[in-house]
Amino acid sequence: MAHSSSSRTVIFAALGGNLLVAATKFGAAFLTGSASMLSEAIHSLIDTGNQGLLLVGMKRATRPATATHPFGHGLELYFWTFVVALLIFGLGAGVSLYEGIIHIIHPQPVAHVLVNYIVLVASVVFEGSVWLMALRAFRKEGKGRRGWVEAVQMSKDPTVFTVLFEDTAALSGLFVALLGNVLAEWLDMPVLDGVASIIIACILAVTATFLARESQSLLTGEGVAPEVLRALRNMALAADGVERLNEIRSMHFGPRDVLVVISLDFRNDMTAGQVEIVVSTLERQIKQAYPEVTRVFIEAQDSRGQPAATPARGTAVTP
């Protein structure tokens, strides 16, 4: 399973930058005692680890098929993306919530607040540049005219939209931390720094929940898009000698690694050789029209006793 160079570029850029930003934020949090800054530092550190895990998933997903994994290891990418979502929720949101509660119970004025301003503004500039890279890659990967939520749900490559959503959460958290520091100083209310940390925790929790949901759907056997499945049905029904489409199933083993299984009822007067020619032609047509379809299994089967034809929507198949 191949991955686009843009995906790797976005991940490497985010990884290197987050590592530097995390070190800077930890230094600023230690110097100023800001809870929101500490939450942001932890967030950047977790993001760094997350990008590393995405690279691990991309690497492991390219391993060849074996006797125990005959369809390859493409699903590893979805597994590691799910782990990333859990880390964002468990560590990022959990620690930020804890720090916020502690600083609300025991509020302390932020020292050297100018340091926080400088670090946060610089972080916004960097995170914004990485966010733009991820946005361009996401649009190139297939957003088109779809809405954001629909585009993510239709996307089968979690690497790009994970980085995009992580950076969106990071930018949101930076603005919240900056606003919390400004209000805490101007209003002389240190408790607002803790409130900002709790808001950051909520942002991370929502982001993690959304990413986990999408990763879980891919990990448990998501099929091709409804319009693709309809096109496959039409191609199968248009094949010579096909009287009925009994069943069609599909499953993503990776962003560009799709299994399609089709059960067809052929005319009874066709010879085995004629059926073989039709099957080979149909398989070739499907792979030419949809290069992401790497495996096509077509079964010749009598329609009697078969269930009604599959509705035109993506479904999973258990190999």
Side-chain angles (χ1 to χ4, degrees):
M1 180 186 64
H3 293 277
S4 64
S5 59
S6 60
S7 299
R8 292 185 181 275
T9 300
V10 169
I11 293 176
F12 275 116
L15 188 150
N18 277 324
L19 185 60
L20 294 175
V21 171
T24 305
K25 287 178 179 177
F26 272 115
F30 177 78
L31 182 64
T32 63
S34 169
S36 58
M37 179 59 77
L38 181 59
S39 296
E40 277 299 307
I42 294 170
H43 181 190
S44 294
L45 184 61
I46 292 172
D47 280 352
T48 303
N50 289 344
Q51 272 99 53
L53 290 178
L54 288 177
L55 290 173
V56 169
M58 292 173 71
K59 177 66 175 178
R60 293 179 64 85
T62 58
R63 290 182 298 164
T66 63
T68 55
H69 291 82
F71 290 99
H73 298 78
L75 291 175
E76 286 240 21
L77 178 62
Y78 301 147
F79 167 76
W80 289 105
T81 305
F82 188 73
V83 171
V84 165
L86 294 181
L87 287 176
I88 295 175
F89 185 86
L91 292 180
V95 174
S96 296
L97 180 63
Y98 172 78
E99 287 295 325
I101 293 174
I102 291 298
H103 281 74
I104 288 177
I105 296 175
H106 305 290
Q108 295 181 353
V110 176
H112 308 290
V113 70
L114 181 61
V115 175
N116 274 359
Y117 294 156
I118 294 173
V119 171
L120 290 173
V121 171
S123 298
V124 167
V125 172
F126 174 77
E127 293 285 1
S129 63
V130 177
W131 182 84
L132 288 174
M133 290 179 60
L135 178 62
R136 284 195 293 266
F138 182 55
R139 285 176 171 171
K140 181 180 178 182
E141 193 260 339
K143 179 184 181 297
R145 296 183 177 179
R146 299 186 179 101
W148 289 102
V149 174
E150 181 187 2
V152 172
Q153 291 174 338
M154 297 299 292
S155 174
K156 311 304 178 184
D157 188 350
T159 56
V160 174
F161 71 70
T162 297
V163 174
L164 178 63
F165 274 70
E166 277 188 345
D167 287 336
T168 301
L171 278 174
S172 302
L174 286 168
F175 284 119
V176 169
L178 185 60
L179 181 62
N181 274 262
V182 170
L183 292 178
E185 182 186 15
W186 284 3
L187 301 178
D188 193 23
M189 295 178 61
V191 70
L192 293 179
D193 185 44
V195 172
S197 185
I198 291 179
I199 294 175
I200 292 171
C202 293
I203 292 173
L204 294 177
V206 171
T207 302
T209 300
F210 185 75
L211 290 176
R213 178 182 176 183
E214 293 307 312
S215 300
Q216 179 270 336
S217 178
L218 291 166
L219 185 60
T220 53
E222 189 171 313
V224 296
E227 60 267 23
V228 175
L229 193 60
R230 283 193 294 269
L232 294 176
R233 286 170 52 84
N234 292 335
M235 292 172 68
L237 289 171
D240 292 337
V242 173
E243 290 192 336
R244 185 177 187 270
L245 172 63
N246 298 322
E247 199 170 19
I248 182 169
R249 293 286 185 266
S250 66
M251 177 175 172
H252 269 272
F253 285 89
R256 284 163 287 278
D257 185 8
V258 178
L259 166 70
V260 173
V261 180
I262 305 175
S263 172
L264 298 174
D265 184 9
F266 291 90
R267 289 200 322 265
N268 292 332
D269 61 347
M270 295 181 67
T271 65
Q274 290 173 323
V275 171
E276 288 178 355
I277 293 174
V278 173
V279 167
S280 297
T281 301
L282 178 58
E283 179 180 354
R284 185 168 59 253
Q285 290 175 344
I286 290 174
K287 290 184 176 180
Q288 287 177 347
Y290 299 98
E292 67 272 19
V293 177
T294 56
R295 304 175 185 87
V296 180
F297 297 140
I298 301 175
E299 178 185 40
Q301 193 172 19
D302 193 334
S303 63
R304 288 175 295 182
Q306 293 298 313
T310 309
R313 57 177 297 177
T315 51
V317 60
T318 302

